[in-house]
Amino acid sequence: MFQFSSYLVFLFASLAVSIALQWILPFPFGLAAALAIFVVFPLLLRKRYGRMGGYGSGTGGGFFGMGAQGATRIKYVCLVCNNKHKGGTCPRCGSKAQRADF
């Protein structure tokens, strides 16, 4: 997982560079450069994190942090016949009454 402290260092470094560019460049160019930095730096960070096996590579990440690396699939248990199955209707009795079994 990506370290929060290194993310903060990366964020404050981009802030410092954008402020320095605002001082050096005249008004419209400095603002455009600062906005470009705040757009490009997170994209570079995501690309770098994806190469390390993060959320862009399919090996981890996801909305809740569970990925393909050892994440268990949700199984359902039929409330009528108590059969465990993957989802939808029960293959044994055809009932749609089910509960999730994590």
Side-chain angles (χ1 to χ4, degrees), residues 12 32 53 64 76 89 91 97 101:
F12 284 120
F64 293 107
Y76 296 96
T89 60
D101 188 28

Side-chain angles (χ1 to χ4, degrees), residues 72-78 83-87 98-102:
T72 58
R73 304 277 309 194
I74 298 175
K75 293 201 175 212
Y76 296 96
V77 178
C78 178
N83 180 32
K84 289 186 178 182
H85 55 90
K86 289 187 178 178
Q98 59 192 3
R99 66 176 170 86
D101 188 28
F102 296 102

